[in-house]
Amino acid sequence: MLDTSKRVVIVGLGLLGGRYALGLTRAGFAVDGIDRSPEAVEFALKEGYIQRGAAENFAPLLAEAGYVVLGLYPTALLDWLKQYGGLLPAGCLVTDTCGVKTGVVDAAQALMPEGVEFIGSHPMAGKEVSGVTNAHLVDFAPANFIITPTEKNTEAGLTFAWSLAETLGFQHITTLTPAEHDQMIGYVSQLTHAIAVSLMCASDNGRLAEYTGDSFRDLTRIARINAQMWAELFLWNRDNLMKEIDQFEGALTQLRACLERGDREELEAMFRLSTQRRAVFDKKQ
Amino acid sequence: MLDTSKRVVIVGLGLLGGRYALGLTRAGFAVDGIDRSPEAVEFALKEGYIQRGAAENFAPLLAEAGYVVLGLYPTALLDWLKQYGGLLPAGCLVTDTCGVKTGVVDAAQALMPEGVEFIGSHPMAGKEVSGVTNAHLVDFAPANFIITPTEKNTEAGLTFAWSLAETLGFQHITTLTPAEHDQMIGYVSQLTHAIAVSLMCASDNGRLAEYTGDSFRDLTRIARINAQMWAELFLWNRDNLMKEIDQFEGALTQLRACLERGDREELEAMFRLSTQRRAVFDKKQ
């Protein structure tokens, strides 16, 4: 269980940071918020997501922090820690919301001052919208929450991350190593976004919009993408993602070869394999 | 308007043929059904989709036909016309439900006996299920109905196809040439199915099912595929589909190259283009 007498500081009042602030305030915590944008801080104050906020001079709020959530993209997160990490008070527990973990968790842990523990976590609850003004639209209940502990973490750190996820309403909470997490996310999230984006970039077929049905719309929904965030996620995980793209491209090339030589038998075999494998994903829904 | 005093014969009581029978019966037509499967005929009779049915000896039913719908896959459709087309009575109007048109419409028109007009059409209302027992699940209202007339068609033929679509409840009815249709379907339907199938065939990642979210499930829903039907559709339209695959693969290769050289700027440019193009598809929903 989290200790509601400890103050929470959210660093980065974006879509997820804002939603954490809202959820933790509702759960009875005293939540403060930090963001370089005065508008984001003002919005969070006005909506009652936070009790106190700061767009500069972060030291007073951080000095009182018992729990800290870094709601920043990977590059900004490490930059922030380099500049302000020393302000984190001994004894506080810190986590993040980044969608990639290798290179982020180790580096963040190395930047912690004495007596401060960082444990990585990833709330898999993104949307096609961004910013604190959309935070109330995020639904954590059906989403996965992945905790990525390392040998640097303690039982107390793990319990903090797990309780945070429970408090926020996540129903599926699991732990993976940072490497396992990034391999998984390369497949279930990044590859599918790479495919949807490539499909849109391949040709300018807006004139065909009137003919599209559910299958096209479902497949391309995620092609509306937050360019800055996804560039970060893709580049921070590029080795895994390139490997997934290569495997996918291999299968697509195989399918195209079936077409080229009119190989109905192998084409049907691919369709049967596809159907059989997809059924597994339905069962575990 | 269709003439309800004319009898309708549905050839092929599958998912769409069955749904046409159900819809036309509800609209007040006397509908008969032909299928090589006695079980399909029996089901359609029992459910009241058709008044009379035949799994062999088709001549008596066809002799009375005013309107005929061929609910068969392309290869089976042309085979059936070669064998039984001569039984179609002069004056009757014939259409189909095939998802590809080039090579089907011309060939079908060439196989019509004197005084019988064939006009191609495509109800874009497929589902991941098949067979007459699932026909009641098909919803025509949100689907596109494409009519593909040729120079062989008359005003009467076009009116028949248009009125048929209206009677069945389609709200979006348009005409395209067979070539335009196949180019369009190669992009909005076949390419997306090829992508979903390839993604499933690329790797056996069922162990990751617990981590998948909406985006993965939406993108791969159509990977559960009727192997025989889709092999037909892909192979009958393989030139268009191979061209679409090549264009898509070009964009994916471009994205992968951005990753390889860490080109954040071009990656973000692709994301912005993708977002902008996808927005057009939302507007026309």
Side-chain angles (χ1 to χ4, degrees):
Chain A
M1 284 288 295
L2 295 183
D3 178 353
T4 50
S5 74
K6 292 194 175 182
R7 293 194 77 88
V8 180
V9 176
I10 309 289
V11 180
L13 293 164
L15 184 77
L16 290 176
R19 183 64 183 77
Y20 274 51
L22 169 60
L24 292 169
T25 292
R26 279 187 187 157
F29 287 87
V31 181
D32 300 324
I34 285 174
D35 198 286
R36 62 181 175 183
S37 151
E39 291 76 23
V41 171
E42 202 177 330
F43 181 89
L45 282 169
K46 185 171 57 79
E47 296 291 320
Y49 294 0
I50 55 175
Q51 289 187 355
R52 303 179 303 184
E56 53 182 21
N57 188 21
F58 308 145
L61 295 186
L62 289 170
E64 295 181 46
Y67 304 123
V68 174
V69 176
L70 304 171
L72 302 169
Y73 299 168
T75 306
L77 184 147
L78 296 180
D79 285 349
W80 191 89
L81 282 180
K82 279 171 202 156
Q83 201 166 352
Y84 303 107
L87 298 174
L88 296 167
C92 88
L93 292 163
V94 184
T95 191
D96 69 327
T97 62
C98 286
V100 290
K101 291 303 173 204
T102 312
V104 176
V105 175
D106 282 352
Q109 288 181 334
L111 288 164
M112 288 298 123
E114 190 65 31
V116 179
E117 179 171 349
F118 177 90
I119 182 155
S121 63
H122 176 199
M124 290 177 66
K127 287 188 82 73
E128 293 95 79
V129 292
S130 59
V132 68
T133 55
N134 288 306
H136 64 287
L137 300 172
V138 176
D139 183 12
F140 286 151
N144 280 291
F145 188 93
I146 321 280
I147 304 167
T148 57
T150 71
E151 65 210 1
K152 297 262 181 69
N153 288 115
T154 65
E155 195 59 35
L158 190 62
T159 303
F160 156 63
W162 200 282
S163 304
L164 178 68
E166 284 179 336
T167 302
L168 291 167
F170 286 91
Q171 279 162 30
H172 311 110
I173 309 169
T174 44
T175 67
L176 291 173
T177 67
E180 285 168 344
H181 169 276
D182 284 4
Q183 204 188 342
M184 176 277 287
I185 212 76
Y187 179 73
V188 308
S189 169
Q190 297 188 337
L191 177 59
T192 53
H193 282 79
I195 286 170
V197 165
S198 298
L199 182 58
M200 283 294 109
C201 290
S203 45
D204 189 4
N205 273 332
R207 69 193 158 78
L208 298 180
E210 62 176 304
Y211 301 109
T212 54
D214 288 347
S215 64
F216 183 89
R217 288 179 197 283
D218 283 354
L219 194 138
T220 59
R221 183 176 54 81
I222 54 174
R224 297 186 75 164
I225 201 164
N226 177 332
Q228 286 188 302
M229 183 179 82
W230 283 92
E232 287 255 328
L233 296 176
F234 274 27
L235 289 170
W236 278 80
N237 198 30
R238 64 182 186 169
D239 289 342
N240 281 313
L241 180 52
M242 283 193 292
K243 218 172 69 185
E244 294 297 345
I245 289 175
D246 291 342
Q247 278 199 300
F248 168 73
E249 213 157 27
L252 188 62
T253 301
Q254 183 192 349
L255 189 151
R256 191 193 183 287
C258 291
L259 296 176
E260 183 128 44
R261 55 173 199 273
D263 188 341
R264 182 169 179 142
E265 205 169 319
E266 192 182 328
L267 200 54
E268 290 195 19
M270 285 189 80
F271 291 162
R272 284 193 301 270
L273 177 64
S274 162
T275 301
Q276 175 197 326
R277 285 195 178 155
R278 181 56 176 78
V280 175
F281 288 87
D282 267 348
K283 272 181 213 142
K284 297 198 181 160
Q285 201 156 13
Chain B
M1 284 287 295
L2 297 181
D3 178 353
T4 50
S5 74
K6 292 194 174 183
R7 294 194 75 90
V8 180
V9 175
I10 309 290
V11 179
L13 293 164
L15 184 77
L16 290 176
R19 183 63 184 77
Y20 274 51
L22 168 61
L24 293 169
T25 292
R26 279 186 186 156
F29 287 87
V31 181
D32 300 322
I34 284 174
D35 199 287
R36 63 182 174 181
S37 151
E39 291 76 22
V41 172
E42 203 176 328
F43 181 89
L45 282 168
K46 185 170 58 76
E47 296 290 319
Y49 294 0
I50 55 175
Q51 289 186 354
R52 303 179 305 183
E56 53 181 24
N57 189 21
F58 307 145
L61 295 186
L62 289 170
E64 296 182 45
Y67 304 124
V68 174
V69 176
L70 304 172
L72 302 170
Y73 298 168
T75 306
L77 185 148
L78 295 180
D79 285 349
W80 191 88
L81 282 180
K82 278 171 201 156
Q83 202 167 351
Y84 303 108
L87 299 174
L88 295 166
C92 87
L93 292 163
V94 183
T95 190
D96 69 327
T97 61
C98 285
V100 290
K101 292 302 172 203
T102 312
V104 176
V105 175
D106 281 353
Q109 289 181 333
L111 288 163
M112 289 297 122
E114 190 65 31
V116 179
E117 179 171 348
F118 176 91
I119 181 155
S121 63
H122 176 200
M124 289 177 65
K127 286 188 81 73
E128 291 95 80
V129 292
S130 60
V132 67
T133 55
N134 288 306
H136 65 287
L137 300 173
V138 175
D139 182 12
F140 286 151
N144 279 292
F145 189 92
I146 321 279
I147 305 168
T148 57
T150 71
E151 66 210 1
K152 297 265 182 65
N153 288 115
T154 65
E155 197 58 37
L158 190 61
T159 303
F160 155 63
W162 200 283
S163 304
L164 178 68
E166 285 179 335
T167 303
L168 290 169
F170 287 90
Q171 280 163 29
H172 311 111
I173 310 169
T174 44
T175 66
L176 291 173
T177 67
E180 285 168 343
H181 170 275
D182 284 6
Q183 205 188 342
M184 176 276 288
I185 212 75
Y187 180 73
V188 307
S189 168
Q190 296 187 338
L191 177 59
T192 52
H193 281 79
I195 286 170
V197 165
S198 298
L199 182 58
M200 283 293 110
C201 290
S203 47
D204 189 3
N205 273 332
R207 69 193 158 78
L208 297 181
E210 63 176 303
Y211 301 109
T212 54
D214 288 349
S215 63
F216 184 89
R217 289 179 195 283
D218 283 354
L219 194 138
T220 59
R221 184 176 53 82
I222 54 174
R224 299 186 73 166
I225 201 165
N226 177 332
Q228 285 188 302
M229 184 179 81
W230 283 93
E232 288 254 328
L233 296 176
F234 274 26
L235 289 170
W236 278 80
N237 199 30
R238 64 181 185 169
D239 289 342
N240 282 313
L241 180 52
M242 283 192 292
K243 216 172 69 188
E244 295 295 347
I245 288 175
D246 292 342
Q247 279 198 297
F248 168 72
E249 215 158 24
L252 187 62
T253 300
Q254 184 192 347
L255 189 152
R256 191 193 183 286
C258 292
L259 296 177
E260 184 129 40
R261 55 172 199 272
D263 188 341
R264 183 168 177 144
E265 205 169 318
E266 193 183 328
L267 199 53
E268 288 194 21
M270 285 189 79
F271 291 161
R272 285 193 300 270
L273 177 63
S274 162
T275 301
Q276 175 196 328
R277 285 195 178 155
R278 180 56 176 77
V280 176
F281 288 87
D282 268 347
K283 272 181 215 142
K284 299 199 179 160
Q285 199 156 15

